[in-house]
Amino acid sequence: MTVVGNPKPASRTANAAACVAELLASELGAPFKIDQLVDLATFAPALFQQAGESDEQIALADAIDLTTSASVLVLATPVYRGSYTGLLKSFLDVLAPGALAGSVVVPVTISASPAHRLLADLQLRPVLAELGASVPTPPVALDERDLEDLQLAVSGWVRRNAGLVRAATNALQPVAEPTPAR
């Protein structure tokens, strides 16, 4: 599952997030699937309206269900004014406390300046922890120049960190209760 918090639909952030998800899923193999992408820009107004039955409200409810049921979640945002987007913050705010318990989250940030490489660790990691998520890896912190050869920039991160994602995901899966002997 991939969530993109860029207010511009079909953004470079969405492209980078899809690349991370594709390469990570390829490295992890079955049964890890990270092939669904939720672009928050497509239903942003629904985040600020009362619950209802509009198409946007239904899409938001579906996005929440997909996000909270994901075992691996790629969460991507551009860096705006030294922080993640208000759109992503608003989406995370509608999730219930502990909604990401059992999920491994891979934060992806894209910034114009290397000075913002710590954004995910300083600002996103605490919010994700509050939601119960496990963030066992460093973030995929991309500079705009990394977008020129995205596969190269992301593949190194995936090679170094896919094992941690796999191990954390496996560790968070519920253990089946043993069947009592008769």
Side-chain angles (χ1 to χ4, degrees):
M1 175 70 209
T2 303
V3 174
V4 178
N6 193 319
K8 179 181 174 190
S11 62
R12 296 182 308 167
T13 307
N15 186 46
C19 180
V20 170
E22 178 183 330
L23 292 175
L24 185 57
S26 175
E27 185 74 22
L28 294 174
F32 298 93
K33 294 178 70 177
I34 316 171
D35 57 354
Q36 292 178 297
L37 186 135
V38 171
D39 194 340
L40 297 178
T42 60
F43 53 83
L47 288 167
F48 306 102
Q49 297 170 349
Q50 288 186 323
E53 294 299 318
S54 71
D55 290 344
E56 288 175 338
Q57 289 291 332
I58 293 167
L60 173 60
D62 290 345
I64 291 169
D65 289 344
L66 287 170
T67 300
T68 58
S69 65
S71 60
V72 178
L73 177 66
V74 174
L75 187 71
T77 182
V79 177
Y80 281 167
R81 308 225 191 297
S83 186
Y84 57 99
T85 64
L87 179 59
L88 180 58
K89 173 70 169 132
S90 296
F91 179 72
L92 295 174
D93 284 349
V94 300
L95 300 180
L100 297 179
S103 297
V104 173
V105 178
V106 175
V108 178
T109 60
I110 299 174
S111 65
S113 168
H116 296 128
R117 291 185 80 78
L118 295 176
L119 167 87
D121 284 326
L122 296 175
Q123 295 179 22
L124 271 177
R125 193 176 293 266
V127 173
L128 294 170
E130 183 69 24
L131 291 168
S134 173
V135 186
T137 66
V140 181
L142 302 169
D143 296 333
E144 286 186 358
R145 68 177 179 264
D146 292 327
L147 301 178
E148 295 169 14
D149 192 353
L150 193 54
Q151 294 274 331
L152 179 65
V154 172
S155 63
W157 184 95
V158 168
R159 279 192 308 279
R160 289 186 305 274
N161 294 287
L164 289 170
V165 172
R166 180 183 294 109
T169 302
N170 289 338
L172 291 171
Q173 297 308 307
V175 177
E177 293 293 322
T179 306
R182 292 184 185 221

